[in-house]
Amino acid sequence: MTKLKTKHLLGIKDLDKEDIQLIFSTADTFKEVINRPIKKVPSLRDTTIANLFFENSTRTKISFELAEKRLSADVVNFSASGSSVKKGETLVDTVNNILAMKVDLLVMRHPNPGAAEFLSRHIQAKIINAGDGAHEHPTQALLDAFSIREKYGEVKNKKVVLIGDIMHSRVALSNIFCLQKLGAEVMVCGPTTLLPKYISSLGVKVEYNLKKALEWCDVANMLRIQLERQDIRYFPTLREYTMLYGVNRQLLDSLDKEITIMHPGPINRGVEITSDVADSKQSIILNQVENGVAIRMAILYLLAGRTDQ
Ligand code: CP
């Protein structure tokens, strides 16, 4: 297979196992490219890409921009602050004005769940969802699974636990879909208040005890407490959360095996993870960031290369 079955990348739910494997094999090639002295290829010369960020980002924004530039695309960056969105312009009007300037492909992060899907129904250009509220963050899940594959050779049959604020996390939902499609076993672990009631209907194991979750898994993906999306208090204090759900060196040393630690970033050091764990050899956090560029190059290349509109 040389072509994705989807025109847009709105969520992992739109991909099947073959699509994911095609993205991974393409990313393998681009990972080799970005480690060369000359990191650039002409694949997307004459393609114009707009990065629309209606919500803050460090990793995803820079990673997409670097991926686009490594593929020789022309790149424009838009952020909501300082734009005419502040004057009341609608999302569709803003995007149609940008597309009128002959933009071929959009990458969009938006605080509203479903924003990328909504836009895909109103415009002609291809869209990549770079995170929509608490819904999906497909490129993060793909780079996470790619990093597990890099570490272990394959994702199938690996035991992965997502720990923390599952309720408000787009990374959690996309990871669950992606890992299951690749044949991994998935568990979620966190306080009752941060695990949605529907979660077991997605076919994941549910564990409230952190030590038991760590004893079960090969890989622990630590999620950030999404304070910006919490309208009420879901636990008494951050200190209590850390005591019950924070991963520290002592806890890892008490296990009878060496597990792999992941985190999508940004990290709350000393809350969900201590610095000595985040910076240890068990952590592949910066490998995830490196792999993000190769994964995004692969997706951009595969979507931009589709001839249908
Ligand atoms: N992992 C992630 O999405 O980070 P940013 O919010 O910095 O893009």
Side-chain angles (χ1 to χ4, degrees):
M1 199 177 79
T2 55
K3 209 171 144 182
L4 290 179
K5 292 181 206 75
T6 175
K7 171 182 168 182
H8 309 287
L9 179 56
L10 304 176
I12 298 291
K13 63 178 176 9
D14 301 329
L15 303 176
D16 62 21
K17 189 176 162 189
E18 278 115 43
D19 288 320
I20 297 171
Q21 281 169 341
L22 174 62
I23 292 168
F24 285 2
S25 59
T26 311
D28 285 334
T29 308
F30 286 130
K31 179 142 185 188
E32 192 266 310
V33 168
I34 59 179
N35 281 294
R36 287 183 199 157
I38 297 169
K39 302 172 178 59
K40 212 161 169 169
V41 285
S43 312
L44 294 193
R45 206 163 50 197
D46 299 327
T47 300
T48 304
I49 302 174
N51 299 315
L52 313 179
F53 278 74
F54 293 86
E55 194 189 74
N56 295 343
S57 169
T58 298
R59 279 145 291 271
T60 312
K61 190 162 181 272
I62 292 177
S63 181
F64 265 113
E65 188 172 344
L66 275 176
E68 291 151 4
K69 288 180 171 167
R70 304 269 193 252
L71 291 166
S72 305
D74 292 319
V75 180
V76 284
N77 290 307
F78 165 95
S79 30
S81 60
S83 76
S84 291
V85 169
K86 297 288 172 203
K87 300 175 192 167
E89 191 170 56
T90 68
L91 178 62
V92 173
D93 278 341
T94 297
V95 171
N96 271 330
N97 276 271
I98 292 168
L99 292 177
M101 297 181 233
K102 310 295 175 206
V103 166
D104 303 298
L105 196 150
L106 300 173
V107 173
M108 186 172 78
R109 170 168 289 191
H110 200 282
N112 294 347
E117 183 150 352
F118 165 78
L119 208 53
S120 73
R121 285 192 246 117
H122 289 88
I123 61 165
Q124 287 303 310
K126 296 159 188 166
I127 307 178
I128 298 174
N129 178 7
D132 58 334
H135 179 221
E136 278 227 40
H137 192 349
T139 57
Q140 180 69 48
L142 288 163
L143 74 88
D144 288 346
F146 184 81
S147 302
I148 294 172
R149 169 182 173 268
E150 184 174 71
K151 170 90 189 175
Y152 290 100
E154 61 177 343
V155 178
K156 193 168 179 214
N157 296 329
K158 291 288 155 299
K159 293 178 175 171
V160 183
V161 61
L162 303 163
I163 297 170
D165 186 358
I166 309 299
M167 173 94 82
H168 302 96
S169 173
R170 52 192 173 216
V171 175
L173 201 57
S174 288
N175 258 271
I176 289 168
F177 293 150
C178 189
L179 291 166
Q180 287 179 336
K181 284 179 193 222
L182 294 172
E185 283 186 71
V186 186
M187 175 186 277
V188 294
C189 176
T192 327
T193 50
L194 290 176
L195 300 185
K197 287 195 171 35
Y198 65 79
I199 200 76
S200 53
S201 70
L202 298 181
V204 299
K205 294 180 193 303
V206 180
E207 176 59 68
Y208 301 101
N209 182 296
L210 178 62
K211 176 101 192 275
K212 284 187 184 164
L214 296 177
E215 277 165 350
W216 173 83
C217 75
D218 301 304
V219 178
N221 197 346
M222 308 302 302
L223 303 181
R224 183 174 63 88
I225 296 292
Q226 314 264 316
L227 288 173
E228 74 276 22
R229 293 199 197 108
Q230 295 185 5
D231 45 356
I232 58 166
R233 287 168 70 124
Y234 289 84
F235 45 83
T237 62
L238 272 182
R239 189 164 171 270
E240 183 170 326
Y241 177 84
T242 300
M243 281 170 64
L244 290 172
Y245 292 102
V247 168
N248 56 47
R249 187 75 259 157
Q250 196 184 6
L251 192 50
L252 289 189
D253 287 346
S254 73
L255 307 177
D256 59 9
K257 59 181 174 180
E258 186 167 295
I259 63 168
T260 298
I261 300 293
M262 300 177 70
H263 195 306
I267 297 174
N268 289 315
R269 283 180 186 263
V271 178
E272 66 269 4
I273 188 169
T274 52
S275 283
D276 56 358
V277 172
D279 303 331
S280 71
K281 64 178 176 47
Q282 276 175 265
S283 156
I284 58 165
I285 295 171
L286 292 181
N287 305 73
Q288 291 171 257
V289 178
E290 180 185 346
N291 288 334
V293 178
I295 282 287
R296 290 177 175 118
M297 285 174 82
I299 293 161
L300 289 160
Y301 172 80
L302 290 165
L303 285 184
R306 281 179 62 110
T307 47
D308 57 307
Q309 285 304 312

